[in-house]
Amino acid sequence: LVDGGIHNAEYVGIECVTGLAKQLQPEDIKGILIMIHIVNVNGFQARTVSVSAEDGKNLNRVFPGNENGTYTDKLAYFMEKEIFSKVDYYIDVHNGDWFEDLTPFIYCVGNAPAETVAEAERMAQAADMPIVAPEETCYTFSMEKKVITAEQYRDWQLIAASLRKKINGERS
């Protein structure tokens, strides 16, 4: 799974997933690849920053969600039950909202079994970005999946090139 738009105003992350999808060829992919360029579509359409327009919640902070909750709770629940539960690897592409000026970096799962953490660190090392110590506080990093989050501020092509190398099984 490669997704963007968890934070709906992180346009470079959205553009990265869209551009990466256009560049990949079927022969480049090993296994099944799911790409979601905008997870929070309603927030994107409403042009809200970091939160869903319907309830003012930050999608990245409500996982695993609630099937009986608000719009954002239900979206998180759907992602957890229908998407996250079916993937082995997850690349979550962010870039900072319009008010954040970030230096590109990548971080990976830190609170999972040792073999999962090691594989996530290997994924992170395959990208051409500085690696921050393994993260243990974000929900996606407690899923026991091989997860990395890439943060990039302005150049979607830079991060897409790094992710393409990972998807193609190349080493940077």
Side-chain angles (χ1 to χ4, degrees):
L1 171 64
V2 179
D3 74 20
I6 289 281
H7 290 133
N8 39 281
E10 292 185 354
Y11 304 122
V12 175
I14 293 166
E15 187 178 15
C16 172
V17 177
T18 303
L20 181 61
K22 289 177 182 176
Q23 293 175 358
L24 288 174
Q25 298 299 314
E27 59 272 10
D28 295 334
I29 300 166
K30 297 169 180 66
I32 296 170
L33 177 61
I34 300 168
M35 301 183 84
I36 305 173
H37 66 284
I38 305 173
V39 175
N40 190 348
V41 174
N42 289 352
F44 177 82
Q45 290 173 336
R47 300 295 190 255
T48 57
V49 178
S50 298
V51 298
S52 296
E54 290 79 3
D55 56 20
K57 291 183 177 180
N58 180 333
L59 176 59
N60 212 31
R61 304 293 179 262
V62 300
F63 287 105
N66 179 340
E67 68 179 324
N68 298 312
T70 65
Y71 168 82
T72 306
D73 297 320
K74 290 176 182 178
L75 178 56
Y77 182 83
F78 171 81
M79 290 295 292
E80 168 63 27
K81 296 300 178 196
E82 300 300 326
I83 308 292
F84 294 159
S85 66
K86 295 171 174 59
V87 302
D88 296 317
Y89 298 89
Y90 178 27
I91 300 173
D92 186 21
V93 183
H94 289 259
N95 71 277
D97 277 319
W98 63 269
F99 57 87
E100 298 174 305
D101 191 5
L102 300 176
T103 298
F105 66 92
I106 197 163
Y107 53 96
C108 56
V109 62
N111 59 343
E115 62 198 39
T116 301
V117 173
E119 179 65 10
E121 287 176 344
R122 190 186 69 70
M123 288 171 59
Q125 290 166 356
D128 293 325
M129 298 173 75
I131 300 172
V132 176
E135 173 65 48
E136 298 186 2
T137 59
C138 183
Y139 171 74
T140 54
F141 295 117
S142 64
M143 298 188 313
E144 296 191 8
K145 305 284 183 183
K146 292 89 174 178
V147 179
I148 61 172
T149 295
E151 291 275 4
Q152 167 68 353
Y153 183 54
R154 289 187 171 87
D155 186 358
W156 75 268
Q157 292 181 347
L158 174 68
I159 193 169
S162 292
L163 296 178
R164 189 171 49 254
K165 287 180 183 178
K166 172 59 194 149
I167 290 167
N168 290 343
E170 299 172 21
R171 183 92 175 126
S172 297

